[in-house]
Amino acid sequence: MSSQNSPADPALAPQKPRDTSFFGQPKMLLNLFSVELWERFSFYGMQGILAYYMYYSVTQGGLGIDEGTALGIVGAYGGGVYLSTILGAWVADRLMGSEKVLFYSAIMIMAGHLSLALLPGAVGLTVGLILIGVGSGGLKANATSLVGTLYAKDDDRRDAGFSIFYMGINIGGLIGPLVTGWLQVTWGFHVGFAAAAVGMAFGLLQYGLTRKNLPQSAHEVPNPLPKSQYGKFIALAAAAIIIIVVAVALKLITAENLKWIIVAVVIVATIAYFALILANKTVTAVERSRVYSFMPLFLASAVFWSLFQQQFTVIALYSDKRLDRNILGWEVPASWVASINPVFIIILAGVFAAVWTKWGPRQPGTPVKFSVALVVMGLAYLSFIPFAGMAAVPMMAIVFILLLFTVAELMLSPVGLSLATKLAPAAFQTQMVALFFLSISLGTAMSGVLAQWYDPANETPYFMVIGLVSIGFGVLLFLVKKPIKKLMAGVM
């Protein structure tokens, strides 16, 4: 029998029907949607009460840490989460594959929440944040990758599938702080942390029961590390752990300076990444030009996230100390403020997507969108000033301010990862995405650094300087949009 008539011929083999069992999408999208929803439920639920747990007095169920130090730790922790996405991506690409990394990352996250719930004091805080930080980085790095494995390259359902997946992020971010915040004020912090663990357990259980149904590509290791190099990387990992342990023992790393250390590590990693890409001989002149264009946009992204992520530092403190949270005689938990932004995202994300689609090629380029995002964030911070010195700030004030936060986020965040992939040299797709995550990591760590200068008794200088600096960066980026666009070499 000739090869043309062979059943093994792919052209003649029966084609597997397209899976449309979940609202026209592959059924495993529901699984990954649920995992992301429960992971974000646990992550934002925990983060919504984290600062309060650290700076509330022992009699209030907290640890009694200095407020400035507590907010710095929250910023450093958030920066560490995004920094660890690079580790999660590397382990998936070289050692285990995305599917296994996601599974074990989910276990680490659940164990971290249990540590916060069950272990006392600083021990539970340290163990819990390390496990959740590394686990969240691993899960965040690979969940999106697994969604991509559900679709062929030319599948026109891909964008809609990702939109459904990202909706899970915002639903989890909305519900998490509501549940943990209510449990915290009713039964205490440890019950709130336990709820986050239960949420992650739900996501882990349903994922564990169906993970075998993911496509074969989800289980593969794209670029396996040769076994001959295992010893070298194990030695490097062991050396890094020993250095960290010794630095902590010698008090070179402390709770007070942790935020600065994360900032320094991220800056070094960023410089190394840019240098690695630009020095590579396979990178063409056009690709190198596009990498240079990403540098001012990286800086703009870092500035944006340093303001946006203050939702969990300065704004968390503001919500606790300055807001009038009484509604019909009931005091709304301060952590519920963290759910306002996800509400607006769910409402407005579709509106922004529709506007960009309608405008098509007439929509503003990425530098303009980034500059508008920075200006709007600056206006959001200036909007705090009229309420400075007010005995009790009305809730509607923070609702309006967080609406501005959301508008700015939708101008920058959704296009950031897309921009990184469009500007990336062919050989460095993953590294450019990692660079965008590093901009989020740097900004998040800086949100903890900036928080040390916030004084609830004298707010105007802080909000004015932060707001004007952000607007200044936005205007500067707008003024240099033409040279940036030229360097982008045809990329919008």
Side-chain angles (χ1 to χ4, degrees):
M1 186 178 289
S2 70
S3 61
Q4 288 182 333
N5 297 321
S6 170
D9 191 331
L12 299 178
Q15 296 296 309
K16 187 177 179 180
R18 193 160 77 162
D19 181 4
T20 59
S21 54
F22 176 54
F23 294 104
Q25 302 289 332
K27 64 182 178 182
M28 280 304 292
L29 179 63
L30 173 61
N31 177 286
L32 296 173
F33 169 92
S34 300
V35 170
E36 187 70 9
L37 187 155
W38 285 114
E39 190 273 332
R40 292 291 92 179
F41 169 94
S42 67
F43 180 84
Y44 285 115
M46 179 277 292
Q47 199 163 16
I49 61 176
L50 179 61
Y52 308 137
Y53 176 59
M54 285 193 280
Y55 75 67
Y56 275 20
S57 67
V58 175
T59 58
Q60 295 174 294
L63 301 180
I65 298 174
D66 172 74
E67 286 179 359
T69 300
L71 299 184
I73 292 172
V74 173
Y77 159 73
V81 168
Y82 287 99
L83 185 60
S84 68
T85 59
I86 298 171
L87 175 63
W90 186 88
V91 172
D93 286 345
R94 307 302 306 272
L95 297 177
M96 299 172 67
S98 290
E99 189 279 321
K100 284 184 179 178
V101 172
L102 188 146
F103 180 71
Y104 292 119
S105 294
I107 293 174
M108 288 183 69
I109 293 168
M110 187 176 68
H113 290 302
L114 287 173
S115 298
L116 284 168
L118 301 176
L119 297 179
V123 173
L125 180 69
T126 303
V127 174
L129 292 188
I130 290 173
L131 288 173
I132 298 168
V134 175
S136 293
L139 192 145
K140 194 171 189 68
N142 290 285
T144 302
S145 174
L146 288 176
V147 173
T149 67
L150 303 180
Y151 302 92
K153 292 286 186 184
D154 58 350
D155 193 327
D156 57 10
R157 301 174 299 164
R158 177 183 286 262
D159 286 352
F162 272 97
S163 296
I164 294 171
F165 175 71
Y166 286 123
M167 189 62 71
I169 295 175
N170 290 294
I171 293 173
L174 165 63
I175 299 172
L178 297 179
V179 173
T180 59
W182 177 72
L183 291 173
Q184 176 255 310
V185 298
T186 307
W187 284 294
F189 286 101
H190 293 287
V191 176
F193 293 136
V198 171
M200 193 64 248
F202 279 133
L204 182 61
L205 177 63
Q206 60 89 32
Y207 177 71
L209 292 173
T210 57
R211 56 193 284 228
K212 63 181 183 295
N213 297 326
L214 283 165
Q216 180 56 38
S217 59
H219 302 273
E220 295 171 353
V221 180
N223 183 22
L225 182 72
K227 292 192 182 296
S228 60
Q229 295 188 31
Y230 274 31
K232 179 177 73 174
F233 281 94
I234 290 172
L236 286 172
I241 292 171
I242 291 170
I243 290 171
I244 292 171
V245 170
V246 171
V248 171
L250 295 176
K251 297 190 182 302
L252 299 176
I253 298 177
T254 65
E256 289 74 22
N257 69 11
L258 181 61
K259 53 186 179 290
W260 286 110
I261 290 171
I262 295 293
V263 167
V265 170
V266 175
I267 290 173
V268 170
T270 299
I271 293 171
Y273 257 115
F274 273 118
L276 175 72
I277 295 171
L278 291 170
N280 191 279
K281 293 181 179 179
T282 66
V283 176
T284 67
V286 171
E287 290 176 332
R288 188 169 284 107
S289 174
R290 289 173 177 165
V291 173
Y292 280 120
S293 78
F294 189 64
M295 290 180 176
L297 298 172
F298 174 96
L299 181 60
S301 177
V303 172
F304 168 82
W305 291 109
S306 71
L307 275 67
F308 183 85
Q309 293 292 68
Q310 288 188 47
Q311 288 185 79
F312 302 105
T313 56
V314 168
I315 293 175
L317 182 64
Y318 189 90
S319 302
D320 182 39
K321 304 282 189 182
R322 303 281 290 109
L323 280 188
D324 177 6
R325 292 180 278 109
N326 283 291
I327 297 179
L328 300 176
W330 181 65
E331 187 173 55
V332 174
S335 61
W336 283 24
V337 172
S339 291
I340 296 173
N341 170 247
V343 170
F344 283 134
I345 287 288
I346 292 170
I347 294 171
L348 295 177
V351 175
F352 272 75
V355 169
W356 301 143
T357 301
K358 184 175 181 179
W359 284 0
R362 295 181 291 111
Q363 66 182 285
T366 300
V368 175
K369 291 178 181 176
F370 273 42
S371 65
V372 171
L374 288 172
V375 170
V376 174
M377 280 303 297
L379 292 174
Y381 274 80
L382 294 181
S383 298
F384 280 105
I385 294 175
F387 306 100
M390 189 177 291
V393 178
M395 278 286 288
M396 287 309 298
I398 201 72
V399 170
F400 171 74
I401 290 168
L402 290 176
L403 171 60
L404 294 179
F405 271 53
T406 305
V407 171
E409 180 186 6
L410 290 170
M411 294 294 294
L412 184 143
S413 184
V415 300
L417 281 172
S418 174
L419 174 74
T421 59
K422 288 187 289 186
L423 294 178
F428 289 93
Q429 288 285 328
T430 304
Q431 282 88 339
M432 284 291 279
V433 173
L435 271 172
F436 182 75
F437 277 122
L438 280 177
S439 75
I440 303 176
S441 176
L442 178 58
T444 305
M446 282 301 299
S447 74
V449 171
L450 294 172
Q452 67 185 318
W453 289 299
Y454 171 67
D455 179 5
N458 185 25
E459 299 171 324
T460 299
Y462 182 83
F463 290 130
M464 181 173 290
V465 170
I466 294 287
L468 292 178
V469 167
S470 183
I471 291 172
F473 267 103
V475 171
L476 179 62
L477 185 63
F478 183 81
L479 293 175
V480 298
K481 66 181 186 299
K482 287 186 177 179
I484 293 175
K485 186 177 179 180
K486 185 177 180 181
L487 287 171
M488 291 171 75
V491 172
M492 282 291 291

